[in-house]
Amino acid sequence: MKVLMIAPDIFMIDRRIILEAESLIKFGHTVTLLSGFECKKEEHYIERGINIHRYVYDWDDYRLKIIRKFLPDKNIIRYLINRGFIIFANRFLTLSPFERFIFEKASQFEFDIIHCHDLPVLKPAIVLSALRNVPLIYDAHEIYPSQKVLPLRLRIRSYLNEKLYVKYADYVITVNEFIADIMRKRYGISDIGVIMNCAKSDNGFDPNSYRGLLREKLKLKKDDRIVLFQGWISQERNLDAIVRAFKYVGEKIKLVIIGYGPYEERLREIVKKERLKRRVFFFGSVPSDEILKYTSGADIGIIPYEPIDENHLYCSPNKFFEFIISGVPVISNDLPFFKKMNEKYGVGVTADMKRPLELAKVLKSIIDDEIRLGALRENALKAASELNWDVEEKKLFEIYNKVLELHKEKSGMKRRRFFYLPFFAMLGTYLACKGGPEIELTPNQNSYKVGDEVEIMVRYLPPSQPEVEFWVKRNPEDWVKVREYSKNPVIKYKFTQAGDYAFEVHIKDGKSPQGFRALWKGVYTVTF
């Protein structure tokens, strides 16, 4: 089975996505992951068996490009049309220009099921699954519309979009029961699966083998105690209060921060001002396949999230499970998920993270009590037998089997259900297919050098996604077929000789006498 995963991650790809993809590959499926559509550079590579593609959005819209062909060469008119169309598309069409860009990139691949990660990519995934008539899994990593960092208008729009479109997914999964309950009540979905963000340890991984690794790297003493934060360093994570707490803990207790982010400079200023250079250490980023080794070197893991919004209130972050599988107790705010884990497994304690002095007292009380600290560590190791990826992996396979069976029973319903969308949603889909297919070269220029490589793409294909065949001609040679018929509308072509080149694409068409429709593009000059 061919799985297409779509995710908005433009920096580091979420560990959850990688683990799900690896599990599917382990059981014989192929996984293509489109992750990030606003990256700094376009990349295509294979990692851990996953075909990964990352893109750079050009902040344009192909529908607008078609309109501009018919506009007079006057800047003011072009500006007004551009501005008006973008406003209209964002507010009224099913797919905004950015979502249409995601749709176009995803359309280049063949797949049997779509696994969509988070709300920003849900709509293009829905349209694509409807047009191809394949099942769609919506994986909500968080309560996206509840993020306080988003402007109010965007939060409202996100809530309305999720409420309207989530019902078009064949199945919805999320990260914990608290968020699942909220989505059931909020969106009227009875069956929501839970796949927790558990960590995966390599076979034979023994946390005790790496207890001294952090001390060794930081040149700390054997009897120093380490409190570890790991993850994205941002303002809303309350890290300034955590740093200030280390004024009161004594010389033997150290804070180590693994990760990076925009708030790091501010934390360094606090460290300098409070004279905490011997107590607070910035370790930088660590490769994902090595993080558990470094995590195992901590005595306590700290998760300082404050309940600033629903998303933080009901969070169950990756780092919690990394601490557990490494046998590291956790200190956190008294949030619902952590409270439930502490009651069930006894793996940590809670404290008021906003008050540095109180946090320091709690930290000292745990670290000074070796018996208590040892018991918490043992409880974490025991909990790891349940809170690990091997358990969640089985749930993932059950969900995939369930979705595929449901899709067989309802074959054809998704395409019909798609056309119940509002009028402007239909208009957006109609406009997405008008204008006719075209051949586009990237980079698009009049001349190239020998050795240059171009991407040749057939754009604006009809929703049925017909198969296409690629041909190339270098004067005075005859046409040469470079790829047989396939539903993938993209190929890479490298110029190996100088000359004038032209390209032709055959699009299967049962209406044409020859059985296909031909598109031609050229002439391009290639020099040494």
Side-chain angles (χ1 to χ4, degrees):
M1 180 175 67
K2 296 177 181 178
V3 181
L4 178 67
M5 288 190 169
I6 309 175
D9 302 29
I10 61 174
F11 298 112
M12 184 180 293
I13 300 175
D14 195 323
R15 173 170 58 76
R16 173 187 182 87
I17 299 173
I18 298 296
L19 287 178
E20 289 176 342
E22 285 183 320
S23 295
L24 292 167
I25 290 170
K26 186 174 82 173
F27 279 81
H29 306 303
T30 61
V31 178
T32 299
L33 170 60
L34 279 55
S35 180
F37 299 88
E38 297 175 275
C39 301
K40 290 184 178 180
K41 64 177 181 177
E42 185 167 324
E43 295 181 294
H44 307 276
Y45 57 93
I46 297 176
E47 184 176 310
R48 303 184 187 185
I50 310 165
N51 295 301
I52 299 176
H53 304 268
R54 297 166 77 76
Y55 298 99
V56 180
Y57 179 43
D58 61 2
W59 297 99
D60 204 345
D61 187 285
Y62 90 91
R63 296 165 290 194
L64 192 52
K65 290 177 182 177
I66 295 174
I67 294 172
R68 282 200 294 264
K69 292 179 181 179
F70 304 98
L71 295 179
D73 192 19
K74 293 185 178 180
N75 289 337
I76 185 63
I77 295 177
R78 286 176 172 268
Y79 170 78
L80 292 174
I81 294 294
N82 285 349
R83 183 67 177 164
F85 179 85
I86 294 298
I87 293 173
F88 173 77
N90 282 328
R91 294 188 179 182
F92 298 110
L93 299 185
T94 306
L95 300 180
S96 68
F98 178 63
E99 289 166 338
R100 177 65 200 184
F101 177 78
I102 297 172
F103 172 82
E104 286 181 13
K105 295 303 180 184
S107 297
Q108 299 174 12
F109 300 92
E110 296 181 16
F111 47 85
D112 304 303
I113 188 169
I114 300 175
H115 191 137
C116 159
H117 295 271
D118 270 334
L119 183 59
V121 295
L122 176 59
K123 281 201 288 180
I126 287 172
V127 174
L128 192 59
S129 70
L131 294 176
R132 297 283 186 92
N133 198 26
V134 300
L136 168 65
I137 293 175
Y138 175 44
D139 194 336
H141 295 198
E142 56 195 346
I143 311 174
Y144 194 89
S146 297
Q147 296 180 80
K148 191 177 180 180
V149 295
L150 298 177
L152 178 60
R153 186 173 65 177
L154 183 55
R155 276 184 273 162
I156 294 172
R157 186 190 304 168
S158 297
Y159 166 74
L160 294 174
N161 279 338
E162 191 165 49
K163 186 176 180 65
L164 175 63
Y165 291 103
V166 71
K167 62 186 177 183
Y168 293 106
D170 290 273
Y171 200 77
V172 178
I173 60 178
T174 190
V175 297
N176 63 52
E177 281 294 345
F178 296 100
I179 295 179
D181 285 341
I182 288 173
M183 294 185 74
R184 289 185 191 107
K185 295 172 183 176
R186 188 166 290 172
Y187 304 134
I189 303 171
S190 58
D191 189 10
I192 295 180
V194 172
I195 304 289
M196 291 194 292
N197 288 324
C198 291
K200 178 182 179 181
S201 61
D202 295 330
N203 291 333
F205 172 74
D206 180 9
N208 293 320
S209 301
Y210 302 99
R211 293 297 182 204
L213 183 59
L214 265 180
R215 287 174 178 79
E216 178 185 329
K217 294 289 185 181
L218 295 169
K219 298 180 180 179
L220 300 177
K221 296 177 182 178
K222 189 175 181 180
D223 59 345
D224 285 338
R225 292 291 176 253
I226 295 175
V227 178
L228 176 64
F229 170 84
Q230 56 193 43
W232 182 245
I233 303 174
S234 57
Q235 183 176 1
E236 72 273 8
R237 296 194 169 180
N238 194 40
L239 289 168
D240 50 351
I242 307 306
V243 169
R244 288 192 172 93
F246 279 75
K247 288 167 51 179
Y248 312 108
V249 295
E251 290 293 334
K252 292 295 183 182
I253 304 177
K254 314 294 184 182
L255 173 64
V256 177
I257 298 175
I258 293 179
Y260 61 93
Y263 205 59
E264 181 176 339
E265 284 303 313
R266 172 58 182 155
L267 295 184
R268 288 183 180 274
E269 291 174 5
I270 296 172
V271 169
K272 184 177 180 180
K273 181 180 178 181
E274 302 292 348
R275 299 180 180 180
L276 296 172
K277 287 187 177 181
R278 294 185 179 181
R279 299 188 189 183
V280 179
F281 298 84
F282 295 89
F283 197 82
S285 60
V286 170
S288 59
D289 57 350
E290 295 183 18
I291 189 65
L292 294 183
K293 297 177 182 178
Y294 288 95
T295 304
S296 301
D299 295 285
I300 296 177
I302 190 165
I303 303 177
Y305 295 179
E306 292 285 332
I308 60 174
D309 54 32
E310 265 189 330
N311 202 45
H312 283 76
L313 176 63
Y314 297 109
C315 69
S316 53
N318 290 345
K319 56 183 65 63
F320 172 82
F321 299 98
E322 291 165 354
F323 289 140
I324 295 305
I325 207 164
S326 302
V328 177
V330 178
I331 183 168
S332 66
N333 276 301
D334 192 20
L335 304 183
F337 176 79
F338 302 122
K339 183 177 181 179
K340 180 180 178 180
M341 293 294 103
N342 291 339
E343 290 174 352
K344 186 173 182 179
Y345 299 107
V347 294
V349 296
T350 59
D352 186 349
M353 299 282 180
K354 283 185 177 179
R355 301 169 62 185
L357 186 57
E358 180 180 328
L359 173 58
K361 288 179 180 178
V362 175
L363 285 171
K364 287 187 69 177
S365 69
I366 300 171
I367 288 174
D368 290 344
D369 189 342
E370 290 289 345
I371 296 176
R372 184 184 181 193
L373 184 59
L376 288 170
R377 185 177 288 125
E378 286 298 318
N379 289 343
L381 289 171
K382 290 178 183 177
S385 64
E386 295 182 28
L387 302 176
N388 65 75
W389 183 250
D390 290 338
V391 174
E392 302 307 301
E393 181 181 70
K394 294 174 183 176
K395 297 180 188 176
L396 180 68
F397 294 142
E398 290 174 0
I399 288 172
Y400 262 74
N401 290 333
K402 182 177 183 179
V403 169
L404 291 171
E405 286 299 319
L406 286 173
H407 187 72
K408 288 179 182 177
E409 296 173 7
K410 301 178 180 180
S411 180
M413 286 301 295
K414 177 176 284 290
R415 186 182 296 272
R416 292 196 296 273
R417 187 173 56 176
F418 168 70
F419 290 108
Y420 296 152
L421 289 172
F423 167 74
F424 281 119
M426 287 296 301
L427 178 60
T429 304
Y430 172 75
L431 291 177
C433 302
K434 288 293 289 180
E438 292 182 3
I439 301 175
E440 181 177 284
L441 271 65
T442 305
N444 187 15
Q445 51 202 50
N446 293 326
S447 63
Y448 300 88
K449 298 288 186 181
V450 172
D452 286 351
E453 186 177 68
V454 294
E455 180 184 85
I456 308 169
M457 178 180 181
V458 188
R459 304 191 68 159
Y460 324 140
L461 285 167
S464 58
Q465 198 68 21
E467 293 184 344
V468 293
E469 184 179 64
F470 288 86
W471 295 71
V472 65
K473 180 178 182 179
R474 185 180 67 87
N475 288 341
E477 298 174 356
D478 294 329
W479 289 100
V480 176
K481 186 190 300 182
V482 293
R483 202 198 68 190
E484 296 283 354
Y485 278 109
S486 167
K487 286 196 173 184
N488 182 2
V490 180
I491 65 166
K492 300 278 189 180
Y493 186 80
K494 188 173 185 178
F495 296 111
T496 58
Q497 300 179 59
D500 291 331
Y501 284 75
F503 300 96
E504 187 168 287
V505 172
H506 296 170
I507 304 172
K508 274 194 177 179
D509 182 1
K511 299 178 182 178
S512 303
Q514 68 270 38
F516 62 84
R517 176 182 176 185
L519 300 177
W520 182 88
K521 194 166 184 80
V523 172
Y524 298 94
T525 301
V526 177
T527 60
F528 288 105

